[in-house]
Amino acid sequence: MSPIKTPFGQHSTAAEVVKGIDLSGKRAIVTGAASGIGIETARALARTGAEVTLAVRDINAGEKTAADITTTTGNGNIHVASLDLTDRASIATFVDAWNEPLHILVNNAGVMALPEQYTSEGWEMQFATNHLGHFALTLGLYPALAAAGAARIVSVSSSGHLLSPVVFDDIHFAFRRYEPWLAYGQSKTANVLFAVGATSRWFKDGITANALMPGAIATNLQRHVGGLQTPPERQKTPEQGAATSVLLATSPLLKGIGGRYFEDCNEAAIVPWRTEDYSGVAPYALNSDNADRLWEESSRLLA
């Protein structure tokens, strides 16, 4: 398969990516849409005329964001719904309330390099938030995605996936000493593998899923690591950081394309080892056997 190339790059903004795209009558959900690149992802989708739901933990922040998006885009079809990805009841409530076809699902919310924490089920918190919560949400929304006929799932991963594969024999650090970056890395690998697994299972329903690295953006995501450490020349604004997510959600160039990993608005190269600048995608993150194993394990945990 030839890698996907687009006219956009590292410094492109989400607004530039969606220019000229009309998604009137389409519905989109963005998780974590009240902060960071989630705000700009939702704003860009609103600019296309889509009906956008901000799925957030903080309803007050979500309402303020929705009002701002409506003001800046003129789109009044911006909604806010409560969603806590670490709370299975919250996910179920969100899913039960959704009863319309869903054209775009952007699994954007996430945490990074947390101190050691576990859910009530004993799941490591980064894996639970970044992967399992989105896995449960997406499975719950599958009928709505299938009803859309040509739905897209966007899985926000990270170059941090290069830090670790999913360690299937000890996902939740029951035996290994907990290390925040390794836990983050395997959760971000899981985001890519989910895109591979979802595409292989649901392509017949018109559903495709792709993963991406948004870039280095100074947001609340770095609160546990002392702020953004990336050299200034490689940093992005939130508007630039949202561009690749929005590209995967809207671009005609991605029609019928799934199971791939993108960075800087283009498909990333597969790398045989971790590069100095953390560019590219690891082979283990695109491996179909790994994707199947993750799907099975995630289904078992959520059963």
Side-chain angles (χ1 to χ4, degrees):
M1 297 184 294
S2 299
I4 302 297
K5 299 296 181 184
T6 80
F8 306 105
Q10 178 182 357
H11 303 295
S12 298
T13 66
E16 291 168 345
V17 168
V18 299
K19 187 176 181 181
I21 292 177
D22 183 1
L23 296 180
S24 300
K26 308 295 186 183
R27 299 178 188 86
I29 294 171
V30 182
T31 69
S35 65
I37 66 170
I39 294 174
E40 300 309 325
T41 300
R43 192 190 312 278
L45 292 173
R47 285 195 174 102
T48 70
E51 181 180 343
V52 184
T53 296
L54 317 183
V56 299
R57 284 192 303 172
D58 186 336
I59 290 294
N60 289 334
E63 295 287 0
K64 290 178 182 177
T65 299
D68 178 61
I69 290 174
T70 293
T71 298
T72 56
T73 66
N75 188 338
N77 280 326
I78 311 300
H79 313 292
V80 180
S82 177
L83 177 67
D84 183 344
L85 290 165
T86 64
D87 183 340
R88 297 174 71 178
S90 174
I91 296 170
T93 298
F94 183 95
V95 168
D96 289 344
W98 190 273
N99 56 13
E100 300 173 301
L102 176 61
H103 304 85
I104 297 168
L105 173 60
V106 184
N107 288 329
N108 166 82
V111 293
M112 183 175 78
L114 294 181
E116 188 170 10
Q117 298 177 52
Y118 297 88
T119 68
S120 59
E121 296 91 350
W123 304 336
E124 190 278 315
M125 188 64 73
Q126 295 189 78
F127 191 81
T129 305
N130 296 344
H131 169 63
L132 286 173
H134 280 127
F135 183 84
L137 174 69
T138 310
L139 260 64
L141 292 170
Y142 163 73
L145 291 162
R152 297 188 187 188
I153 301 166
V154 178
S155 186
V156 179
S157 181
S158 168
S159 60
H161 84 274
L162 296 165
L163 293 169
S164 177
V166 175
V167 181
F168 289 104
D169 290 330
D170 191 23
I171 288 175
H172 304 292
F173 291 83
F175 298 94
R176 295 178 288 160
R177 180 178 180 179
Y178 180 77
E179 206 292 317
W181 285 110
L182 292 182
Y184 177 69
Q186 76 164 356
S187 75
K188 293 289 100 179
T189 293
N191 291 153
V192 187
L193 289 173
F194 174 70
V196 175
T199 299
S200 68
R201 285 162 175 77
W202 297 340
F203 188 80
K204 65 183 183 301
D205 301 305
I207 301 170
T208 54
N210 288 291
L212 71 127
M213 158 61 172
I217 308 106
T219 69
N220 196 41
L221 188 66
Q222 295 96 21
R223 63 188 179 276
H224 297 290
V225 295
L228 188 61
Q229 308 296 320
T230 306
E233 65 273 12
R234 288 171 47 205
Q235 294 182 20
K236 295 184 180 185
T237 66
E239 294 84 358
Q240 292 169 334
T244 307
S245 295
V246 172
L247 178 94
L248 299 186
T250 68
S251 175
L253 297 171
L254 273 295
K255 182 179 181 181
I257 299 295
R260 305 195 190 190
Y261 175 91
F262 291 73
E263 58 190 7
D264 294 336
C265 294
N266 288 277
E267 187 174 357
I270 298 174
V271 294
W273 52 75
R274 188 167 68 237
T275 54
E276 186 175 347
D277 64 356
Y278 280 70
S279 62
V281 58
Y284 56 69
L286 296 174
N287 183 279
S288 59
D289 291 337
N290 289 344
D292 288 343
R293 187 174 181 184
L294 177 67
W295 197 283
E296 292 165 4
E297 177 62 12
S298 301
S299 298
R300 184 190 70 79
L301 289 170
L302 292 168

